[in-house]
């Protein structure tokens, strides 16, 4: 029975998708005598948490007394702009709380539950915990590992080529183009190298399906893009552009920020990105950048769009650098789907024991 | 109604799969008063043709008089070891013949049909012609273009790598291994380059599902494999080994033949292979050989096995050479299947307007 109601709470949580920004998706179901008396979710960054949303939208608040609350994430116990959720739970007379997942932040994890138990509320934890973790995989990873969730995304021909040498090349078809624009909106930042910017001149925008469009991060140690003021990234100010470079440049539009990390390593760059509160990064290449991420070990997922085409010869190939390696890395949680004539294959470095 | 019976004839034809060697698959159905009175196929190289097989295995031969014969390929009109099929048709009093596809050999094409018509038999042609063509795509291409059907087969990681540099590398899993061994039996020869032989030391054998195991062709212009008598290809005599080299070598086992073409071009090599009567070649690489075939235009199909793994760095990548090209080749008749954790993608250079 716990799993039945928690599954409904997970469904509720998904209502906030792409609107909660750096906050997690959370859903809540309030049950009394095996009947649902209220349901709610965290619908938007800055708005009520799921538990409060369930309570406040309930038409029969008296029914909440002595009820059971199912919530996908541990209720908060810290004071923000409003009193914490734990106090609201106590105040409404909820007698049991069932939690899927503890707060991932080790500093606060368990405190909400302790408060509830200390106040006589019966608490059960760990119901559909993996499903709840997967719902907020980037949020969870960010708060435990202090770095963003990293997706390495590429589009290749059947012979593993990305593009004709130094030439903008459309490898996959319209279905992939549309899908990728929406997929970008699932992440808080898109990252590419300077060479990709100079060859493709991309805007790196999503499909406006998120309230918080992804930021655009460029790795450009030598500052090669600064002299090209005509680049779409400089003209389009629909979201922030962050350039990692050792050079400063005063003559850039206000939506462009330059960061100089201590070292130009993937680890240092991700540390700087985490400092900005960015929890997930969608890395779109080029192949040297992908290979640097691979070599660093700081990556979590690969998404490859494969087109049934051939380029051949000396054209630019996937995950490519001068690096010598003989480690074969096997991906987990493999997902294969067709998009028009193209194929999307995704896999994770570590299994979450769940298919999306 | 014609299509209904021709479909059954096509099914009959498939009974001969992997047993008819250089002969085509052919099926026949004999129908009288809308009832099937006989059925047959060409079951094995050197045995009866489909029409004769249907006639000879019919328990009620008197019913064949005044019947309709459905046959997937034009009946032969030339004398081999036995009188031609057209004479048997005439002798049995068959009054109508429905043919899917004319004989592809331009020298004999149409002659069987002309003989039947000249002798008062009503002939209909072109029923399920494409399906019949596809059943014997290699045979048909060989007799019209005077070269073997060429399949470029590879196994890659998700980043388009074939192997660690100069190291035998198993990229795909057991399911692909087993599948490829059977798939090899669909072709009359397997072709690889000398480097693949020296690094992988393969036997290049099938799964013994064919009566005529594929021959093994090695491209080794410089004769680099000759000094390695310990190679599995020299030790295993289960099928012929043909080495294309500019050097002769007298000190090889009897199952090894050396051919020196006029030029070491793909065109010349395929001309020599065609002279041996080999109608289909399964080209297993390496990447330079694949790219040479691609550049030559003499190829028909690509089969790529993709493993959800990453190798990265400077490892050996798919279809790779120093050649500069900016032509994107789009494949047709795409087929995608999963084999264990791996994915098989196939596509043709020219569409046959049919999925396998």
């Amino acid at each position: 029975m716990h799993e039945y109601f928690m599954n409904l709470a997970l469904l509720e949580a998904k209502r906030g998708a792409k609107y909660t920004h750096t906050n997690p998706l959370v859903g809540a179901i309030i049950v009394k005598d095996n009947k649902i008396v209220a349901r709610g979710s965290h619908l938007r960054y800055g708005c009520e948490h799921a538990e409060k949303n369930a309570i406040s939208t309930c038409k029969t608040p008296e029914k909440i007394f002595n009820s059971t609350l199912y919530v996908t994430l541990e209720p908060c116990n810290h004071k923000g702009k409003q009193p914490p959720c734990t106090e609201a739970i106590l105040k409404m007379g909820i007698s049991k709380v069932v939690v899927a997942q503890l707060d991932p932040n080790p500093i606060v994890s368990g405190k909400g539950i302790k408060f509830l138990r200390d106040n006589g509320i019966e608490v059960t934890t760990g119901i559909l915990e993996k499903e709840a973790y997967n719902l907020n995989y980037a949020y969870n990873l960010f708060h435990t590992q202090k770095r963003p969730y990293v997706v390495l995304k590429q589009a290749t021909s059947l012979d593993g080529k990305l593009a004709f040498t130094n030439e903008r090349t459309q490898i996959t078809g319209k279905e992939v183009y549309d899908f990728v624009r929406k997929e970008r909106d699932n992440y808080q930042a898109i990252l590419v190298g300077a060479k990709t910017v100079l060859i493709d001149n991309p805007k790196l925008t999503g499909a406006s399906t998120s309230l918080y469009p992804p930021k655009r991060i460029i790795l450009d140690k030598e500052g090669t893009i600064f002299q090209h003021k005509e680049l779409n990234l400089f003209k389009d100010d629909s979201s922030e552009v962050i350039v990692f470079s050792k050079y400063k440049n005063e003559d850039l539009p206000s939506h462009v920020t330059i960061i100089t990390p201590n070292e130009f390593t993937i680890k240092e760059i991700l540390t700087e990105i985490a400092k900005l509160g960015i929890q997930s990064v969608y890395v779109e290449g080029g192949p040297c950048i992908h290979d640097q991420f691979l070599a660093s070990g700081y990556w979590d997922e690969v998404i490859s769009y494969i087109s049934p085409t051939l380029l051949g010869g000396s054209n630019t190939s996937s995950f490519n650098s001068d690096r010598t390696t003989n480690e074969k890395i096997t991906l987990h949680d493999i997902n294969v789907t067709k998009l028009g004539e193209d194929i999307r294959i995704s896999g994770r470095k570590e299994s979450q024991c769940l298919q999306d």
Side-chain angles (χ1 to χ4, degrees), chain A:
Chain A
M1 216 59 193
H2 278 351
E3 291 199 356
Y4 175 79
F5 289 120
M6 192 58 83
N7 246 324
L8 291 175
L10 285 164
L11 280 177
E12 280 297 319
K14 288 177 184 168
R15 291 177 176 270
K18 299 192 177 186
Y19 275 51
T20 65
H21 194 33
T22 52
N23 281 350
L25 299 178
V26 187
I29 296 278
I30 302 177
V31 175
K32 191 169 174 180
D33 301 330
N34 270 332
K35 282 183 187 151
I36 296 169
V37 294
R39 54 176 88 209
S41 54
H42 182 46
L43 286 170
R44 195 164 169 154
Y45 184 77
C47 294
E48 290 173 321
H49 287 184
E51 308 88 319
K52 289 238 187 102
N53 184 247
I55 291 166
S56 68
T57 57
C58 180
K59 288 173 188 165
T60 51
E62 65 280 6
K63 285 196 181 162
I64 292 178
F65 184 79
N66 214 18
S67 67
T68 301
L69 166 71
Y70 290 86
V71 62
T72 58
L73 189 71
E74 179 179 14
C76 71
N77 194 38
H78 57 268
K79 276 184 194 168
K81 287 173 186 165
Q82 301 170 41
C85 288
T86 46
E87 285 185 13
I89 291 166
L90 198 62
K91 190 175 156 198
M92 294 303 289
I94 289 170
S95 57
K96 291 184 191 171
V97 175
V98 182
V99 174
Q101 190 210 333
L102 297 198
D103 191 303
N105 190 338
I107 300 160
V108 294
S109 182
K111 292 200 177 151
I113 284 165
K114 183 173 186 304
F115 175 89
L116 295 173
R117 282 190 175 140
D118 287 350
N119 283 278
I121 293 172
E122 186 185 329
V123 181
T124 303
T125 60
I127 304 299
L128 300 186
E129 187 174 6
K130 280 182 183 169
E131 286 78 358
Y133 183 92
N134 200 32
L135 190 67
N136 296 302
Y137 53 83
Y139 172 85
N140 285 309
L141 182 125
F142 179 82
H143 283 289
T144 48
Q145 299 196 24
K146 309 297 177 202
R147 68 157 176 92
Y149 185 88
V150 174
V151 177
L152 308 179
K153 174 260 175 186
Q154 63 174 4
T156 79
S157 60
L158 204 54
D159 58 331
K161 305 285 185 293
L162 305 182
F164 301 124
T165 310
N166 295 329
E167 195 177 311
R168 183 186 168 100
T169 315
Q170 188 68 33
I171 296 286
T172 45
K174 190 182 178 325
E175 289 85 352
V176 169
Y177 179 84
D178 292 343
F179 192 92
V180 164
R181 301 254 305 178
K182 284 186 203 135
E183 191 165 76
R184 282 174 172 169
D185 286 339
N186 294 334
Y187 303 94
Q188 289 171 18
I190 298 164
L191 185 150
V192 298
K195 198 174 171 190
T196 299
V197 173
L198 293 173
I199 294 173
D200 291 358
N201 189 17
K203 279 190 184 174
L204 297 176
T205 47
S208 302
T209 60
S210 168
L211 267 189
Y212 299 89
K215 292 180 168 133
R216 297 164 290 177
I217 301 173
I218 318 301
L219 303 190
D220 186 17
K221 187 175 174 183
E222 304 301 329
T224 54
I225 67 171
F226 295 148
Q227 61 247 49
H228 297 277
K229 297 290 182 293
E230 75 286 3
L231 286 168
N232 283 324
L233 280 174
F234 294 139
K235 289 197 281 182
D236 179 298
D237 64 356
S238 61
S239 78
E240 196 179 345
V241 170
I242 301 154
V243 186
F244 279 83
S245 175
K246 63 180 179 183
Y247 297 106
K248 293 289 171 199
N249 190 305
E250 303 299 323
D251 191 25
L252 293 171
S254 62
H255 68 285
V256 182
T257 309
I258 298 172
I259 293 178
T260 305
N262 292 332
E263 286 180 287
F264 275 84
T265 61
I266 297 299
K267 186 180 180 182
E268 278 297 311
I269 288 162
L270 288 177
T271 301
E272 292 298 326
I273 293 172
K275 280 184 198 164
L276 302 172
I278 292 170
Q279 296 175 357
S280 55
V281 182
Y282 187 70
V283 181
E284 300 206 42
C288 291
I289 302 270
H290 279 152
D291 202 57
Q292 281 177 55
F293 272 92
L294 188 71
S296 77
Y298 295 111
W299 61 279
D300 302 286
E301 188 172 346
V302 174
I303 301 177
S304 191
Y305 293 93
I306 299 174
S307 149
T309 57
L310 298 166
L311 268 54
S314 59
N315 285 308
T316 310
S317 63
S318 164
F319 282 72
N320 193 23
S321 76
D322 294 338
R323 182 171 69 100
T324 301
T325 164
N326 64 353
E327 188 192 3
K328 183 169 90 170
I329 294 156
T330 301
L331 301 172
H332 306 275
D333 300 348
I334 306 304
N335 235 305
V336 181
T337 46
K338 271 200 94 175
L339 283 164
E341 284 289 278
D342 303 319
I343 299 116
R344 179 186 186 277
I345 303 176
S346 69
R348 292 199 175 94
K349 193 169 75 171
E350 310 280 353
S351 176
Q352 294 185 4
C353 305
L354 279 172
Q355 293 287 329
D356 284 324

